[in-house]
Amino acid sequence: MSLTGAMTIDVEDYFQVQAFADVIDRESWERWPRRVEANTEWMLEALAARGVHATFFTLGWVAERHRGLVRRIVAAGHELASHGYGHQLVDRIGPEAFRADLARARAALEDAGGVAVIGYRAPTFSIGPHVPWAWEILEETGHRYTSSLFPVKHDLYGTPDAARVPFRPAGSSLWEIPLTTVHGFGRNWPCAGGGYFRLLPYAAYRGAVRHLHRREGRPQIFYTHPWELDPGQPHIPQSRLSARFRHRVNLGRMKTRFAALLEDFAWDRMDRVYADLLDPSRPC
């Protein structure tokens, strides 16, 4: 059994990741050499070569500075979605700051891309049952879905006891579409990309997705970042050793793995893979 999965790209630069937030503050972002445009262009070319469309969860900060890149994403037939504006953790900034961040990001994205933005992904998966107000604000601001919940145990993120399948938070018309996991040995295991995808053998991911298709009959979500395909990015020597390891492990292998991923599975945009859920005529 083969299903079409959702290919998603979180468009942010290497100096904006949460792992470096303790040593790189937002006020210094302008001083770092930006590599996001060139890396995203490589991904656009790789996707085009295989006829794959994806969802690009893009920072508003990036959209303001790379308007041409946003236009090219849209012109290539990809879905433009929001990753917030300044890569701030939702569960730390509170409701009012979150509302402002959403509005600023959406304005930047829609102005640059010329299309409506209905999807959202929280930085570092910082949405879950512990911040129910976030779902309420997303619905109020016109978003129709979020893919921000990761039902795994991790030191930086994760809600291991959360639902593994799409759901509507109580009383909401918004859909939460969790990142993909497989369940075994009494726990959920990540099967969605990111650092685990770079660290573990590619065959492990491929086997897990085939297991998901065969046993659960549902599609997978894959996520990655433009910086994950860029081994030439600057080092951040002042960061913790564990952060440097997580960030840089197997960057040099990612272009080959990404190409294999596009060949081995069928992929499409989030809004099309989950079109049946996002149909506005569907009852709540």
Side-chain angles (χ1 to χ4, degrees), residues 191-203:
C191 182
Y196 291 103
F197 180 77
R198 288 184 282 118
L199 178 63
L200 298 175
Y202 175 73

Side-chain angles (χ1 to χ4, degrees), residues 44-66:
L44 286 170
E45 292 175 6
L47 292 166
R50 293 160 180 83
V52 172
H53 292 106
T55 292
F56 284 73
F57 291 102
T58 305
L59 283 181
W61 190 95
V62 171
E64 284 184 345
R65 291 157 179 78
H66 298 276

